[in-house]
Amino acid sequence: MNRIRRWLRNWRKQYKFAVYDPKNFNEIFGITTSKVRIVSLLFLSLFLISGIFVFLLGLTPFGTYFFTPSAPEQTQIVEQRIRMDSLAKKVEAQEVYIRDLKRLLFGDFHPDSSAAEKPDVQIDPNTINPNPSKAEAQIGENVKADQYTNSAKKSADFVHFMTPVKGKVSQRFAAGKHEAVDVVAPPDSYFSSCLAGTVIFSGYSQKDGNILIIEHTNDFLSVYKHAKTLLKKRGDKVSAGDMIGIIGNTGTSSTGPHLHFELWLNQQSVDPQKYMKFE
């Protein structure tokens, strides 16, 4: 206890700092203080200097590096743009669907002027022959026969495709030689999935660059090569029209920014231009 008291008295002990004239030793300036006052003054000065430094640093461009929140990463920006583009396409498709549905239900059709100008045809019911002609009877028999035969069309003919990207077809499909179509589009353009499905491969090869493969229903498979950036990873579910990558020029076999697009049906390559239009 006595040691603490001595320590406190030592810190409160008064000291005098003075400036004397060397010629006559007269005091020019003097100040009386203690250790406690000196330490307090040092802490206060340090606090003020730090505050002024931070304030001045915030006014400079260099200060914004420390005090401005970091901008979102590029991947987050791309994902947000993809969601916005996908949502806009869905809204547009929904509006077209509602418009066509209204026309179908309420007969909201607009006939052309030439049809409106035609006079009404008056038919006398007494002149109608109720007995079918030979040609009409033959047509009826053919219709009945068709009901018991399978349709020549395959299920693939009823699949609605979305065009992955619009552009100039630089190289067309050639069985055994070039089993794809090459579509030239502006650099950094987005390309989308042609059908809904699941991503089964998302990676890179030295020859074809960034590759994305999607498995669809109806035994279809779509392949996208030479992408600059892939926006989906393996296992992701995609819908028709979803943005899945950016046009690029990756891989040793690529000669310029384009999309190498392949379409496979039942493990056989097919011509994509039979199912969709690129130009």
Side-chain angles (χ1 to χ4, degrees):
M1 192 69 181
N2 293 331
R3 181 179 300 177
I4 295 176
R5 290 177 179 175
R6 288 195 301 271
W7 184 81
L8 290 175
R9 283 197 299 269
N10 185 33
W11 275 84
R12 293 175 180 174
K13 185 177 180 179
Q14 299 290 323
Y15 295 91
K16 183 176 182 180
F17 297 91
V19 179
Y20 293 92
D21 188 347
K23 295 181 180 179
N24 51 22
F25 294 100
N26 291 330
E27 184 177 340
I28 300 175
F29 172 77
I31 184 172
T32 302
T33 184
S34 63
K35 293 181 180 179
V36 175
R37 293 179 181 176
I38 294 175
V39 173
S40 301
L41 182 61
L42 289 175
F43 275 106
L44 180 61
S45 301
L46 181 61
F47 177 77
L48 291 175
I49 293 174
S50 300
I52 294 173
F53 176 77
V54 172
F55 174 75
L56 295 177
L57 184 63
L59 298 177
T60 62
F62 184 74
T64 58
Y65 179 80
F66 296 96
F67 303 111
T68 303
S70 59
E73 296 183 357
Q74 182 67 21
T75 56
Q76 295 177 347
I77 296 177
V78 171
E79 290 177 357
Q80 292 175 0
R81 291 179 60 184
I82 291 172
R83 293 192 186 101
M84 293 177 63
D85 293 341
S86 179
L87 182 60
K89 285 191 174 183
K90 290 180 179 179
V91 171
E92 183 180 356
Q94 187 71 15
E95 290 178 351
V96 173
Y97 173 77
I98 293 174
R99 183 192 63 194
D100 294 341
L101 185 61
K102 286 182 178 180
R103 291 181 176 180
L104 180 63
L105 294 177
F106 303 107
D108 185 18
F109 294 100
H110 302 283
D112 55 19
S113 57
S114 60
E117 294 174 356
K118 291 183 179 180
D120 295 335
V121 178
Q122 300 295 329
I123 300 177
D124 185 1
N126 296 323
T127 61
I128 298 176
N129 184 7
N131 298 321
S133 63
K134 292 183 178 181
E136 292 173 341
Q138 183 62 42
I139 293 174
E141 293 297 328
N142 294 337
V143 171
K144 291 181 181 180
D146 289 341
Q147 293 179 352
Y148 300 98
T149 58
N150 295 327
S151 174
K153 289 190 175 181
K154 302 178 182 179
S155 60
D157 297 329
F158 301 98
V159 179
H160 178 67
F161 288 87
M162 298 287 290
T163 304
V165 67
K166 290 287 187 178
K168 178 67 175 179
V169 177
S170 60
Q171 191 169 1
R172 298 180 179 274
F173 178 89
K177 298 180 180 180
H178 185 258
E179 298 178 332
V181 292
D182 289 344
V183 184
V184 178
D188 298 331
S189 299
Y190 291 102
F191 61 87
S192 57
S193 175
C194 64
L195 286 174
T198 304
V199 177
I200 61 174
F201 180 82
S202 178
Y204 179 87
S205 75
Q206 184 176 3
K207 177 183 177 182
D208 298 319
N210 291 315
I211 306 172
L212 197 72
I213 303 177
I214 302 177
E215 184 179 25
H216 310 286
T217 56
N218 302 91
D219 300 318
F220 276 104
L221 198 75
S222 59
V223 183
Y224 312 79
K225 296 182 179 180
H226 305 308
K228 176 181 179 181
T229 305
L230 299 177
L231 304 177
K232 299 295 180 180
K233 59 182 181 298
R234 181 180 178 183
D236 286 349
K237 303 289 185 180
V238 297
S239 301
D242 283 354
M243 302 298 179
I244 58 175
I246 300 176
I247 296 292
N249 185 29
T250 58
T252 57
S253 63
S254 178
T255 57
H258 73 286
L259 175 65
H260 176 98
F261 177 69
E262 301 176 12
L263 190 63
W264 294 73
L265 175 60
N266 295 322
Q267 301 181 1
Q268 296 291 329
S269 61
V270 295
D271 186 0
Q273 290 187 286
K274 291 183 178 180
Y275 300 90
M276 61 200 82
K277 295 182 179 180
F278 295 90
E279 297 180 339

